[in-house]
Amino acid sequence: QVQLVESGGTSVQAGGSLRLSCAASGYTNNFSYMGWFRQAPGKEREGVAAIYTAFAGGRTYYRDSVEGRFTVSRDRATNTLFLQMNNLKPEDTAMYYCAAKYYATRSPLVSSEYEYWGQGTQVTVSS
């Protein structure tokens, strides 16, 4: 059974930085993609960043609004996914979710492509 547990969310001022972590346990060796998604109140869940995890140094993907500010990475030794968020903006405020999938996809930032989800961690950015 796969479990994904996020941590690191908190309140921060605009311009600040946070690093989110997602600890994966269970049968995680054959994940093809892991990603970060977020959902703000009244809005749909959206893809933030994803990484191809079938081998080390896999390609990364970002939504346009976070490109250059956020960095997704994975520590294969500890099965932990990270999201480094810099220069945070109030519009980054949302519940952030970690997700994983086994099979290939042409849309790694589409939430419906993912099979496993964590419970989320709240990020609040104040102006």
Side-chain angles (χ1 to χ4, degrees), residues 34-39 45-50 95-100 107-112 114 117:
M34 296 186 74
W36 289 98
F37 294 78
R38 67 187 182 188
Q39 188 167 19
R45 189 170 297 189
E46 60 185 22
V48 175
M95 183 72 78
Y96 282 71
Y97 298 90
C98 172
S107 305
L109 292 179
V110 174
S111 60
S112 60
Y114 285 77
W117 291 87

Side-chain angles (χ1 to χ4, degrees), residues 33-115:
Y33 289 89
M34 296 186 74
W36 289 98
F37 294 78
R38 67 187 182 188
Q39 188 167 19
K43 294 187 176 181
E44 293 187 356
R45 189 170 297 189
E46 60 185 22
V48 175
I51 184 168
Y52 182 63
T53 56
F55 52 78
R59 182 179 175 181
T60 56
Y61 305 80
Y62 299 94
R63 70 179 300 105
D64 289 346
S65 62
V66 308
E67 183 84 50
R69 299 189 296 124
F70 290 10
T71 303
V72 60
S73 62
R74 184 194 185 200
D75 184 330
R76 296 173 66 87
T78 61
N79 281 330
T80 304
L81 184 72
F82 300 101
L83 183 67
Q84 178 67 43
M85 306 186 293
N86 298 326
N87 190 21
L88 282 159
K89 303 177 180 181
E91 51 264 41
D92 295 318
T93 295
M95 183 72 78
Y96 282 71
Y97 298 90
C98 172
K101 67 184 289 36
Y102 286 125
Y103 301 105
T105 177
R106 295 182 179 180
S107 305
L109 292 179
V110 174
S111 60
S112 60
E113 293 288 311
Y114 285 77
E115 301 147 36

